[in-house]
Amino acid sequence: MIKSQRINQIKEYVFEHESVSLEELVKHFNVSKNTIRRDIQTLVEAGILKKVYGGVSVNHSALVVFNERRDQNLTKKQEIGKLASQFVEDGEVIFVDSGTTTLELLPYIHHKQLTIISNNFDFIHQAKAYPSLAIFSTGGMLERKTNSFVGFQSIEFLKKYNINKAFLASTGITLTNGVTNSSPLETEVKSTIVEKSAKVYLMIDDSKFDKYGITTYCSLSDIDYLITNSMPDESYQQYALEHGITIVTP
């Protein structure tokens, strides 16, 4: 396991248990006490954990912020996942994009008979538990920042498939910059999907409006359905009306 991944898992383990001894961490992560001490020091210096006798505990101010943000975002994403699932029908070939919002589709579609193409590592990993889902990975290089497969191989793979519906994510959208992304490596994959799919569904929560990432992967007018947790302002509603985009909200 690489260091950054282990440190993140240590943080999550301590957050779950509130307070943990050094011995417990050594045993759980199967590394030396010196390694655990160094990892803990990184988290202590970041203000996430604090040292206590014989181990570490949660810095509660950090825990509150972390939990509130995670829970708030998760609730919105689950709502969006449920909304999007109503457009998925048995027998279809769908694409599921990278990101945590698109991941929330899985609980609502795993009982269907589907062919799913995805570059979302977490989605692929979790979907393997459901035999009714035929899963095709795009392959390519694993972009660790987004846990997605990217690169030339992914694009060439996608060009061969006819996709009924694509469920996409975005760093943010604006009327001028369109649908944007923070990972340039993913941009061409997303652009290819928009071109290859009969229908495009964009899944974003309300924090993504009027925000934009470093690259644009398609115009907002290329989207068929905009699925979000609350109705966007009048300018987006008007744009959707003019360009034939269906806004879907709870």
Side-chain angles (χ1 to χ4, degrees):
M1 185 187 299
I2 61 172
K3 183 181 178 183
S4 59
Q5 184 182 10
R6 186 178 62 247
I7 288 174
N8 194 49
Q9 289 187 12
I10 289 170
K11 179 188 76 173
E12 290 176 358
Y13 187 84
V14 178
F15 273 24
E16 186 179 340
H17 294 83
E18 292 269 332
S19 184
V20 182
S21 70
L22 285 182
E23 286 74 16
E24 186 178 344
L25 290 172
V26 167
K27 185 177 178 182
H28 183 79
F29 290 96
N30 194 28
V31 292
S32 70
K33 188 172 280 191
N34 282 339
T35 297
I36 285 293
R37 283 199 177 104
R38 285 194 296 270
D39 291 348
I40 283 171
Q41 189 58 33
T42 300
L43 291 164
V44 169
E45 288 172 0
I48 294 166
L49 303 181
K50 60 183 180 182
K51 289 181 179 177
V52 295
Y53 183 75
V56 285
S57 70
V58 173
N59 179 340
H60 277 276
S61 60
L63 179 63
V64 168
V65 171
F66 174 84
N67 282 342
E68 282 180 351
R69 186 172 67 246
R70 182 190 62 188
D71 292 346
Q72 182 186 37
N73 287 344
L74 182 59
T75 301
K76 290 178 181 179
K77 289 169 183 178
Q78 288 172 335
E79 197 167 37
I80 293 164
K82 187 175 183 179
L83 284 170
S85 70
Q86 68 183 297
F87 298 101
V88 180
E89 298 174 20
D90 275 323
E92 290 186 319
V93 178
I94 69 170
F95 177 83
V96 177
D97 194 13
S98 60
T100 52
T101 305
T102 48
L103 187 61
E104 293 305 325
L105 254 180
L106 186 58
Y108 304 102
I109 64 171
H110 64 69
H111 60 287
K112 295 180 182 287
Q113 297 287 334
L114 298 168
T115 298
I116 300 177
I117 301 166
S118 184
N119 65 335
N120 187 328
F121 177 84
D122 295 316
F123 187 96
I124 293 165
H125 178 68
Q126 293 183 28
K128 71 178 184 180
Y130 305 106
S132 65
L133 305 179
I135 308 295
F136 288 79
S137 164
T138 61
M141 185 191 82
L142 180 65
E143 161 72 306
R144 295 182 184 277
K145 187 172 74 171
T146 56
N147 253 9
S148 65
F149 294 109
V150 297
F152 172 76
Q153 298 97 323
S154 302
I155 294 158
E156 288 305 302
F157 173 89
L158 290 168
K159 286 178 179 177
K160 298 172 183 173
Y161 283 84
N162 299 311
I163 299 165
N164 298 126
K165 295 168 181 175
F167 294 88
L168 296 174
S170 172
T171 301
I173 67 169
T174 70
L175 296 178
T176 52
N177 291 325
V179 187
T180 69
N181 193 51
S182 60
S183 172
L185 291 171
E186 287 186 341
T187 297
E188 199 169 350
V189 172
K190 291 175 183 281
S191 297
T192 302
I193 283 298
V194 172
E195 290 172 14
K196 289 292 296 179
S197 303
K199 293 287 183 184
V200 178
Y201 299 75
L202 183 63
M203 300 169 63
I204 56 168
D205 67 60
D206 54 10
S207 69
K208 303 291 179 69
F209 289 92
D210 295 326
K211 305 284 196 315
Y212 57 90
I214 193 170
T215 60
T216 294
Y217 69 83
C218 73
S219 166
L220 198 52
S221 61
D222 293 324
I223 300 300
D224 298 295
Y225 292 82
L226 177 57
I227 304 173
T228 186
N229 58 292
S230 64
M231 185 59 72
D233 69 33
E234 186 65 38
S235 62
Y236 286 96
Q237 293 180 47
Q238 185 61 36
Y239 185 96
L241 193 63
E242 291 170 2
H243 293 87
I245 302 166
T246 302
I247 299 176
V248 182
T249 57

